[in-house]
C-alpha cells in the first residue's frame, strides 16, 4: 500500500517585527522577537522526528518583502538540517514575501524547491517509492487578485496529488481577497490534499479531501490568540491522518474577569493572580489581555491608579518565569451604577441623549482621524464591529460621568 507523510505549515512570518511590543522588558521582548524562529525550529524538529517524506510551506515564510538576512540565515540553517536527513521542502511565496521585493539573496540548500510565478507541477518520488505531484505558484507581486485556481490542472501519473495555494476562500470577506477560490473548485480538481496558506486562524475547510489552513506558526498580536502550529499529515488508501502540532512559543490570550465579588484591592489582585496561574502553561509563555469588569472604582481614585497598582504587583515576579504570563493590556470597566431609565425620568435631555447615542452612525467618520494619520494608516487595523460597540459604550460612560460630576 502506498503511503506518504509530510508536514504542512504556512505563514511563518519569520522575523516579524512584533509591532507595538517594544515597551516590554528586554528579556521578554527578546523571547517574543525570537518566537517565529523558535516555532520554525519546532517544524524542522518534528519533520526529522516523524521521518516525513517532505515538508510544504504554503507562503508568507518571511514577514517582509525585503527578507531580512537574519531571517534568511536562520531559515537556511533549518533547511540544512532537513537536507542532512534527505527531506525535501516545497515552498510557495505569498503576499508578504512576494518575488517583487528587493533583498540580498542567500543561496538556499539543494533540498529547497521554490515554485515559480505560474502554476507548475513538481515531482517527488519518496524513499518507499510513492510518486507525488505537487502543484503551486509563488506571488510575483503583493496583489495577486487573479483566479489562479483556474491554472491548477491534475496531471495523471502520480500516486498522490498535493495542491499548494496561498489564497483566500472567496466567501471570506475578512481578509485581502488574494488568489480567490471556493471549496467546491478545490474539490473538483481531484487532488488528495490542499495545503493552503494566507489565513492565520487554523481552519479545516473540508475533511475529504482535506483542504486545510494550518494557521500561522506563531501569533504576532493580540488578535492572533491561542495555540499556533502546523499539521503532520499521513495519506494512504485507507484515508488521512491529521495531527496538529503546536509550535508557538508565546501564546496570546484574552480573558474577561468579573470582579463584582471583590470588596478590596487585595481581593481584585488575588482574582487576577488566580486566573493568571490557570493560564500559565508548560514551558510556553503567554501575553495576556485582561478585561476587568464590574469594579467599584470609588475606592481607588480612578481607573488609572488602580491599573498601575495592579500591573505593578501582577508583573512583579513574571520576568523571571520561563512560562511567564505577561499582562500586555489591562482594561478596567466600572460596575454600572448609572441607571439610564431613572435618568430619563429626571430630564427630557437624557431621553434625547440616549436616543442620539443609540442611533449614532457616524462612528467611521469619528474614527477617520486615526486612519488619516500616517502612523495609523500604517499600523492600525480596522476596528471590528464589537470593538466599535465597546468604544461607543466607553464614550457613553465618559459622557455620563462628566455630566454627573
Ligand atoms: Mn500571512
Amino acid at each position: 500500500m502506498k503511503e506518504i507523510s509530510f508536514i504542512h505549515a504556512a505563514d511563518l512570518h519569520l522575523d516579524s517585527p512584533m509591532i507595538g511590543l517594544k515597551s516590554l522588558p528586554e528579556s521578554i521582548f527578546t523571547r517574543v522577537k525570537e518566537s517565529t524562529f523558535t516555532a520554525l525550529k519546532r517544524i524542522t524538529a518534528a519533520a526529522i522526528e516523524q521521518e516525513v517524506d517532505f515538508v510544504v510551506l504554503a507562503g508568507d515564510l518571511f514577514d517582509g518583502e525585503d527578507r531580512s538576512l537574519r531571517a534568511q540565515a536562520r531559515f537556511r540553517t533549518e533547511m540544512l538540517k532537513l537536507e542532512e536527513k534527505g527531506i525535501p521542502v516545497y515552498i510557495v511565496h505569498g503576499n508578504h514575501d512576494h518575488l517583487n521585493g528587493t533583498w540580498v539573496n542567500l543561496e538556499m540548500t539543494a533540498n529547497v524547491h521554490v515554485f515559480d510565478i505560474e502554476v507548475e507541477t513538481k515531482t517527488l518520488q519518496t524513499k518507499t517509492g510513492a510518486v507525488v505531484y505537487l502543484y503551486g505558484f509563488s506571488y510575483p507581486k503583493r496583489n495577486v487578485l487573479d483566479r489562479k485556481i483556474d491554472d491548477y490542472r491534475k496531471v495523471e501519473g502520480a500516486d498522490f496529488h498535493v495542491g499548494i495555494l496561498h489564497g483566500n476562500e472567496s466567501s471570506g470577506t475578512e481578509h485581502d481577497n488574494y488568489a480567490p477560490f471556493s471549496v467546491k473548485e478545490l474539490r473538483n480538481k481531484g487532488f488528495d490534499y490542499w495545503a493552503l496558506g494566507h489565513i492565520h486562524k487554523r481552519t479545516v475547510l473540508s475533511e475529504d479531501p482535506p483542504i486545510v489552513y494550518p494557521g500561522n506558526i506563531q501569533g504576532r498580536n493580540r488578535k492572533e490568540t491561542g495555540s499556533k502550529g502546523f499539521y503532520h499529515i499521513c495519506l494512504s488508501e485507507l484515508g488521512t491522518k491529521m495531527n496538529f502540532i503546536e509550535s508557538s512559543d508565546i501564546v496570546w490570550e484574552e480573558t474577561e474577569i468579573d470582579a463584582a465579588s471583590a470588596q478590596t484591592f487585595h481581593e481584585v489582585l488575588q482574582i487576577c493572580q488566580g486566573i493568571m496561574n490557570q493560564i500559565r502553561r508548560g514551558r510556553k509563555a503567554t501575553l495576556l489581555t485582561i478585561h476587568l469588569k464590574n469594579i467599584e472604582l470609588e475606592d481607588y481614585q480612578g481607573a488609572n491608579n488602580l491599573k498601575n497598582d495592579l500591573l505593578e504587583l501582577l508583573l512583579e515576579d513574571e520576568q523571571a518565569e520561563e512560562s511567564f504570563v505577561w499582562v500586555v493590556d489591562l482594561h478596567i470597566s466600572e460596575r454600572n451604577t448609572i441607571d439610564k431609565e431613572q435618568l430619563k425620568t429626571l430630564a427630557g435631555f437624557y431621553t434625547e441623549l440616549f436616543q442620539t447615542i443609540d442611533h449614532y452612525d457616524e462612528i467611521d467618520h469619528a474614527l477617520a482621524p486615526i486612519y488619516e494619520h500616517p502612523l495609523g494608516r500604517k499600523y492600525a487595523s480596522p476596528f471590528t464591529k464589537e470593538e466599535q460597540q465597546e468604544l461607543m459604550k466607553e464614550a457613553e460612560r465618559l459622557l455620563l460621568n462628566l455630566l454627573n460630576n
Side-chain angles (χ1 to χ4, degrees), residues 10-13 58-63 94-96 166 197-200 216 220 224:
D11 297 279
L12 286 63
H13 288 267
D60 286 0
L61 279 62
F62 301 103
D63 189 68
N95 50 304
H96 269 262
H166 191 87
H198 184 47
I199 305 301
H200 289 188
N216 53 347
R220 300 169 308 151
E224 298 181 346

Side-chain angles (χ1 to χ4, degrees), residues 66-301:
D66 61 349
R67 303 188 187 180
S68 72
L69 269 176
R70 185 168 103 109
Q72 287 185 75
R74 305 287 287 274
F75 183 70
R76 192 178 189 286
T77 304
E78 294 308 304
M79 295 305 102
L80 190 59
K81 289 182 191 167
L82 296 178
E83 189 185 37
E84 283 162 1
K85 300 288 177 186
I87 300 174
V89 182
Y90 294 89
I91 290 173
V92 305
H93 289 295
N95 50 304
H96 269 262
D97 55 354
H98 62 87
L99 302 179
N100 196 32
T102 40
W103 65 88
V104 181
N105 196 34
L106 272 194
E107 196 76 32
M108 281 302 145
T109 47
N111 61 326
V112 173
H113 308 276
V114 180
F115 282 84
D116 208 347
I117 57 171
E118 298 298 340
V119 176
E120 59 170 331
T121 308
K122 291 187 187 288
T123 307
L124 165 73
Q125 183 155 26
T126 68
K127 286 171 187 158
T128 56
V131 175
V132 187
Y133 285 170
L134 299 109
Y135 307 75
F137 80 96
S138 289
Y139 279 45
K141 54 179 185 181
R142 175 171 284 272
N143 302 311
V144 173
L145 301 167
D146 319 339
R147 294 178 29 81
K148 299 296 277 191
I149 183 61
D150 296 338
D151 301 338
Y152 285 74
R153 276 178 215 97
K154 186 173 175 179
V155 184
E156 291 307 325
D159 300 303
F160 297 96
H161 301 264
V162 176
I164 311 171
L165 175 56
H166 191 87
N168 190 45
E169 197 275 304
S170 34
S171 66
T173 51
E174 234 178 284
H175 302 271
D176 293 324
N177 201 20
Y178 293 144
F181 62 86
S182 70
V183 172
K184 186 164 171 239
E185 283 170 319
L186 298 195
R187 278 214 181 100
N188 287 343
K189 297 289 173 181
F191 291 3
D192 300 295
Y193 186 89
W194 276 99
L196 305 179
H198 184 47
I199 305 301
H200 289 188
K201 189 173 166 32
R202 173 158 51 116
T203 316
V204 176
L205 294 177
S206 153
E207 302 266 351
D208 186 24
I211 302 176
V212 179
Y213 283 115
N216 53 347
I217 60 169
Q218 166 62 55
R220 300 169 308 151
N221 56 57
R222 69 180 188 88
K223 289 185 179 169
E224 298 181 346
T225 53
S227 296
K228 297 288 184 175
F230 56 91
Y231 278 97
H232 173 217
I233 306 289
C234 297
L235 299 181
S236 76
E237 287 154 26
L238 297 177
T240 310
K241 271 189 278 177
M242 292 178 47
N243 183 27
F244 178 75
I245 301 174
E246 183 171 3
S247 57
S248 41
D249 188 43
I250 310 275
V251 180
W252 290 83
E253 295 290 357
E254 190 153 5
T255 189
E256 197 175 294
I257 299 178
D258 188 343
S261 64
Q263 306 293 327
T264 62
F265 174 83
H266 190 222
E267 283 171 4
V268 176
L269 178 69
Q270 280 180 320
I271 293 177
C272 292
Q273 282 169 332
I275 301 269
M276 282 164 66
N277 283 328
Q278 274 172 31
I279 287 172
R280 199 181 304 281
R281 1 155 32 343
R283 296 172 63 192
K284 295 184 200 313
T286 306
L287 294 178
L288 180 65
T289 300
I290 295 179
H291 298 270
L292 199 51
K293 304 243 153 150
N294 290 320
I295 286 278
E296 191 72 80
L297 269 179
E298 277 169 34
D299 311 340
Y300 309 108
Q301 288 115 37

